[in-house]
Structure formats: C-alpha cells, structure tokens
Amino acid sequence: VKPASYAALVEPQWRLLGGNGHDEAGKPGGVYCAYGLAVHIIASGNPGCRDDLFGDRRLRIGHSGGAYNLRSGLWLDPQSGRGLALFTSEVPDDAAKGASGFTRREEEVVARAIGRGR
C-alpha cells in the first residue's frame, strides 16, 4: 500500500464529538469513537470514550467483530508495527463490560496475549 493510500485509510472520517453518536445502549461514548475508511480506531482519546481495549492508551487501528456469541478483533499498533488477531467464543450479547466499553472477556484475552494476564 502506498503511503498516501495508507494515510487516507486510517485518517478518521468520523469522530465522536459529544452528541453525534451513541453506544450500543443508546448513550454517548462506548467503543465506537473514531472511524476511518472501514478501519475502527481505538484508544482515540476522545472525551467520554471507553475505547481502550488494551488499557495502555496507545492508538490502534483495525476492526472488531461479533456475532453468535463470538467476539473478535484484528488490531495494529501503527507506532510499533505489531498487531494482534483475537477471537473468543461463548460471549453473550449482554456480557459484562470491562474497564473499557469492550467486554470483560475480550479484555482478558488481550491481557493474556500481551503478557499482562488477568
């Protein structure tokens, strides 16, 4: 991918700015706080957002997924060039949230994968 194409892909096309979006419960904030061209941006730093799945305030780009009690994600840290692909099953739609707006189960998988084990 050419550098200009990559820059266009990850440039936020939408950011949560208070009242211009809502989470899954209909409240401002949550995990969808910045979005590029089909690229979800997490740890956006936007006020009121709970989008820091890794808990380290490092911006990551990628995409989350969920269907039929499965949660998944593919996340890249553009600063380090390192990424993580994850999935976990048996996570119901009403699963408990963690410190972020992601589920506690997703946070646990990430913590184990990066050596923070919860």
Side-chain angles (χ1 to χ4, degrees):
V1 176
K2 294 180 183 177
S5 299
Y6 175 81
L9 184 72
V10 301
E11 177 68 26
Q13 302 298 308
W14 173 85
R15 284 186 181 276
L16 180 66
L17 301 172
N20 67 334
H22 294 89
D23 67 11
E24 297 81 12
K27 298 176 184 172
V31 300
Y32 295 103
C33 297
Y35 217 83
L37 297 175
V39 177
H40 187 175
I41 301 163
I42 60 173
S44 63
N46 294 351
C49 289
R50 296 178 43 227
D51 61 345
D52 189 1
L53 173 61
F54 289 72
D56 59 7
R57 294 181 284 182
R58 290 181 69 130
L59 183 135
R60 287 180 173 79
I61 58 173
H63 211 288
S64 59
Y68 311 107
N69 292 341
L70 176 111
R71 302 287 184 184
S72 61
L74 177 63
W75 302 108
L76 170 70
D77 175 347
Q79 192 172 37
S80 71
R82 297 185 67 176
L84 174 67
L86 68 99
F87 74 91
T88 184
S89 60
E90 297 188 34
V91 184
D93 289 339
D94 61 352
K97 301 293 183 197
S100 71
F102 288 90
T103 66
R104 188 175 308 142
R105 183 80 164 266
E106 289 168 288
E107 289 180 357
E108 290 168 351
V109 169
V110 167
R112 282 192 310 270
I114 63 174
R116 262 197 250 145
R118 288 189 183 172

